[in-house]
Amino acid sequence: MDSLYTRYAGALISLAMEDNDLEGYRSDIKDLRQAIKENEGILDVLSSAFIEFDEKERIIDNFYPGRVNIRNFLKIVVRNNRSRYLIKILNEFIEECNEYLNIKDGTIYSVRKLDEKEIERVEKGIEKRLSCRVELVNVIDERLIGGIKVIVDDKIFDGSIKNKVEKLKDSLVKGGA
């Protein structure tokens, strides 16, 4: 099934390259993916055998008024009865774009919601260390006590108070042995 996601994602990448706007398509697809996740029933409707394709096209037009090429792509996916795979196709597209554009997605954990400037400052610091563009999503984790923890791919940058306390505890235990 992986090749199905790759084929559809590749077709969408070809459209983006044709329009010379891979970055713009990536942004639009991320927004579309988020909208689908927030409207869980949309994939059930688009997958339904009881709804005619013309009606599904109208639903797509209303749900996604953005780029015509992306809207038409959605219609092809629906027409080919691949709606239930749409999130995986969009994820594959984003992964391929990230690879092409040298972008890494990651998560920044904090005890409170960080503002855009704080996130951007952390992104810039991580970008220097990884030599690529980094885009972070903020997730609240009250177990950290304070500070932040960033995970990008398999790399962890832990500046949380919880981590510092654990390191201190470990050094005390080793020193006391």
Side-chain angles (χ1 to χ4, degrees):
M1 212 30 97
D2 287 335
S3 63
L4 173 111
Y5 313 138
T6 304
R7 282 194 318 265
Y8 277 92
L12 192 52
I13 284 181
S14 293
L15 282 173
M17 301 278 239
E18 218 172 85
D19 286 351
N20 199 26
D21 193 12
L22 192 58
E23 187 92 35
Y25 272 73
R26 179 181 171 276
S27 176
D28 289 353
I29 292 298
K30 284 182 94 168
D31 292 343
L32 173 62
R33 180 181 63 179
Q34 186 61 36
I36 291 170
K37 286 179 179 179
E38 290 171 2
N39 297 281
E40 295 171 20
I42 190 72
L43 292 181
D44 293 334
V45 170
L46 296 176
S47 297
S48 175
F50 301 108
I51 300 174
E52 295 291 326
F53 181 71
D54 292 346
E55 180 61 24
K56 290 178 184 180
E57 278 188 321
R58 282 191 286 282
I59 291 168
I60 290 169
D61 289 340
N62 289 326
F63 181 75
Y64 184 76
R67 285 182 201 258
V68 173
N69 280 345
I70 293 175
R71 202 166 51 239
N72 289 339
F73 175 79
L74 290 173
K75 291 174 184 177
I76 290 168
V77 170
V78 170
R79 182 178 296 276
N80 291 332
N81 296 314
R82 303 292 191 215
S83 304
R84 65 181 169 262
Y85 305 118
L86 192 55
I87 291 292
K88 291 181 179 178
I89 292 167
L90 300 180
N91 287 341
E92 180 70 23
F93 171 81
I94 292 166
E95 284 178 31
E96 288 185 27
C97 282
N98 286 353
E99 194 172 309
Y100 186 81
L101 297 168
N102 197 26
I103 299 172
K104 303 256 187 227
D105 285 328
T107 306
I108 181 170
Y109 297 93
S110 60
V111 292
R112 64 170 175 79
K113 182 162 177 44
L114 301 176
D115 65 37
E116 286 300 315
K117 285 186 179 182
E118 291 171 315
I119 294 171
E120 190 176 303
R121 204 168 54 240
V122 174
E123 285 172 341
K124 295 295 177 208
I126 302 293
E127 285 173 358
K128 286 179 185 173
R129 295 180 95 175
L130 298 180
S131 300
C132 66
R133 195 165 108 205
V134 174
E135 292 184 1
L136 300 174
V137 175
N138 189 206
V139 173
I140 306 302
D141 183 353
E142 295 173 358
R143 296 174 298 167
L144 296 178
I145 304 169
I148 61 169
K149 177 174 151 180
V150 179
I151 299 177
V152 179
D153 286 341
D154 59 344
K155 294 182 180 29
I156 299 173
F157 304 90
D158 198 340
S160 67
I161 292 175
K162 178 183 176 187
N163 183 52
K164 291 176 183 176
V165 168
E166 287 174 7
K167 283 182 178 178
L168 179 61
K169 186 173 117 180
D170 287 346
S171 85
L172 290 173
V173 168
K174 286 179 184 174

